[in-house]
Amino acid sequence: AAAVGTGAKVIVMDEPSSSLSAAETAELFRLVRELKSRGITLIYVSHRLEELFAVCDNITVLRDGKHVATGRIADTTPHRVVTQMIGRELLIATPNHLAKPLGDERLRTEGLSSPRKFSGIDLSVRAGEIVGIAGIVGAGRSEVVEAIFGLDPAATGRVTVKGSALALGSRDAALAAGLGLVPEDRKRQGLVLGLNNRENTSLAALPQLTSAGWVRRGDERELAQRYTSRLRVKAPSLETITAGLSGGNQQKIALAKWLARSCDVLLIDEPTRGVDVGAKAEIYQLLDELACEGKALLVVSSELPELIGLCRRILVMRNGGIAGEVQRADFSEAALMRLMAGVAAA
C-alpha cells in the first residue's frame, strides 16, 4: 500500500507472497494485474516459479550474483528455469530413508492443547522417520511445534521423548531431552544476524564448549567448521557476519546450530522458506541423510510438494486440530487439500 500510494511508476516486489495464504496470494495477483493495466512496471522477485509464470511477461535468471538469461516467459519452461538457476539438472529422487526400517519411538504427544491455539494433538515420530504437518495459515502448525519445544507456558497434555515424560513450558527440559527447533522465521527467531557464522553455529552447543564460563575457541571453531562444511555453506569464512549471507545459507546455519548440538529429535518449521531451488535440493538431501542416521524429524511446511517428496506420513491440521493422517502410498495434493479445507472427497 505504501509503494502504490507514492504514485510510483516502477515497483519492485521482493518475495511478496512469502508469508501470505493462498487466498491472500490470489488477491496479490489481482493487484499486480491491475497495476499492470495502469501502465505501472513491476519487478517481481520470487523463488516460487509458479508465481512468475502466472503473472510475469519476461523473466531474468541470476545465479551466484551473475546474469544467466533473460527472455519471454512464454518461451521458456519451469524445468528450464530451474536448470538455469542451479547450473545443472535437478533430479528428484525418492528419499533414501524410506527404504530403511524405523527405530524406536522418539517423540509422542497425547492430548497436547493450548487455549485458542490448538487442542487434542496426538502424534508420534520414530527414529529414522520424517513426519510432516500440513495445514492452511492459522491452523496451529507452528504453535504445536513451539509447545513441544517448551515455548508455550499455557500448553497442557503429555509429551514424551524417548519414553520419558517432558516437562511442558520448559525450554531447558526440551534441550536436555535432545530436542532442537528450527523456527519458521530464521531472521527473528533462528539466528542472531549480527553474529558471525562461527558464533551462530555454536550457539546451541555452548554448554559443551565452555570451561569455567569461558568458550574454548579452538573447539568452537572446529565444531563450526565441521558442520558448515557438511552443509556446504557458501561464505567467505567462519567469521563472516551471518546477516550478509543469502537466505539459503542462513537457513543452513540455522540447521547447523542444532546438528552441532547432536539433537535426536528435530522440529523444523518451513525448512526452505525463501531459499532458491538449488539450496532447497541441498536441504532436502540433508534432511534425508539425518533420517538415515536415525534422527526423528517433525517437519512443518506450507509447500505440499515439499512434504510429499520428503515424508513417510503427513498429518493435516485444520482449526487447531488434526483433521487426518495420510500415508505415503496415498499422497496427493488433492487429498491433502481436501483435509486442509474440510471438504469430503467426491
Side-chain angles (χ1 to χ4, degrees):
V4 174
T6 64
K9 298 301 182 184
V10 178
I11 298 176
V12 182
M13 296 183 173
D14 190 0
E15 299 287 355
S17 67
S18 63
S19 59
L20 301 183
S21 67
E24 291 167 336
T25 299
E27 178 63 16
L28 171 69
F29 288 178
R30 187 198 64 77
L31 174 63
V32 166
R33 295 186 179 102
E34 179 183 329
L35 293 173
K36 284 172 60 179
S37 70
R38 294 187 201 171
I40 295 174
T41 297
L42 295 104
I43 300 174
Y44 192 104
V45 181
S46 179
H47 293 104
R48 297 179 177 176
L49 298 188
E50 68 275 11
E51 296 183 1
L52 300 180
F53 279 81
V55 299
C56 297
D57 300 304
N58 300 286
I59 185 169
T60 290
V61 179
L62 304 177
R63 183 174 70 247
D64 296 332
K66 296 180 180 178
H67 177 266
V68 175
T70 295
R72 288 179 49 78
I73 203 84
D75 297 333
T76 189
T77 65
H79 179 79
R80 183 180 179 188
V81 172
V82 167
T83 302
Q84 292 170 331
M85 288 172 69
I86 65 176
R88 63 183 187 280
E89 291 288 327
L90 179 60
L91 302 178
I92 302 176
T94 301
N96 294 321
H97 75 270
L98 296 174
K100 295 182 178 293
L102 294 176
D104 297 334
E105 185 177 82
R106 290 286 177 85
L107 172 69
R108 172 176 287 274
T109 71
E110 297 170 288
L112 186 64
S113 303
S114 181
R116 298 179 297 280
K117 293 180 180 178
F118 56 86
S119 63
I121 304 299
D122 298 332
L123 61 82
S124 66
V125 189
R126 297 170 65 180
E129 186 176 30
I130 301 179
V131 175
I133 300 182
I136 62 175
V137 173
R141 303 166 304 167
S142 298
E143 290 82 357
V144 166
V145 294
E146 289 173 356
I148 294 172
F149 194 66
L151 298 178
D152 186 349
T156 59
R158 180 177 174 83
V159 176
T160 56
V161 179
K162 292 182 284 188
S164 299
L166 181 69
L168 295 177
S170 171
R171 288 162 290 183
D172 289 342
L175 290 168
L179 293 180
L181 171 64
V182 180
E184 177 182 14
D185 189 340
R186 60 177 171 268
K187 293 181 181 293
R188 293 195 305 117
Q189 301 167 314
L191 299 166
V192 182
L193 293 178
L195 297 182
N196 61 39
N197 298 335
R198 168 180 52 79
E199 293 164 328
N200 268 299
T201 303
S202 66
L203 267 180
L206 284 178
Q208 291 78 46
L209 295 171
T210 55
S211 298
W214 295 92
V215 178
R216 300 190 300 275
R217 293 299 182 197
D219 292 345
E220 180 192 36
R221 191 170 291 104
E222 180 184 347
L223 183 75
Q225 186 64 61
R226 185 191 319 156
Y227 286 101
T228 54
S229 296
R230 177 180 177 181
L231 272 66
R232 295 183 287 277
V233 175
K234 295 178 181 177
S237 76
L238 289 176
E239 306 306 312
T240 300
I241 299 300
T242 305
L245 301 185
S246 67
N249 285 300
Q250 287 182 357
Q251 187 72 352
K252 291 179 183 179
I253 294 289
L255 282 163
K257 178 176 71 174
W258 295 109
L259 299 187
R261 191 181 168 88
S262 301
C263 295
D264 295 318
V265 180
L266 283 171
L267 313 171
I268 306 175
D269 195 353
E270 301 291 359
T272 62
R273 169 165 287 177
V275 308
D276 64 64
V277 289
K280 278 188 178 184
E282 292 178 341
I283 290 172
Y284 295 159
Q285 181 180 346
L286 171 67
L287 299 183
D288 184 32
E289 290 173 1
L290 294 175
C292 288
E293 293 171 5
K295 296 189 183 298
L297 284 74
L298 185 62
V299 177
V300 174
S301 178
S302 300
E303 298 190 28
L304 296 185
E306 181 166 271
L307 294 177
I308 289 171
L310 277 175
C311 301
R312 192 181 291 255
R313 295 182 288 123
I314 299 175
L315 306 173
V316 180
M317 290 192 65
R318 184 176 72 250
N319 296 332
I322 294 181
E325 177 180 315
V326 183
Q327 301 292 330
R328 188 169 184 87
D330 301 318
F331 281 1
S332 74
E333 290 194 47
L336 295 172
M337 286 295 293
R338 281 195 295 267
L339 286 170
M340 290 164 61
V343 177

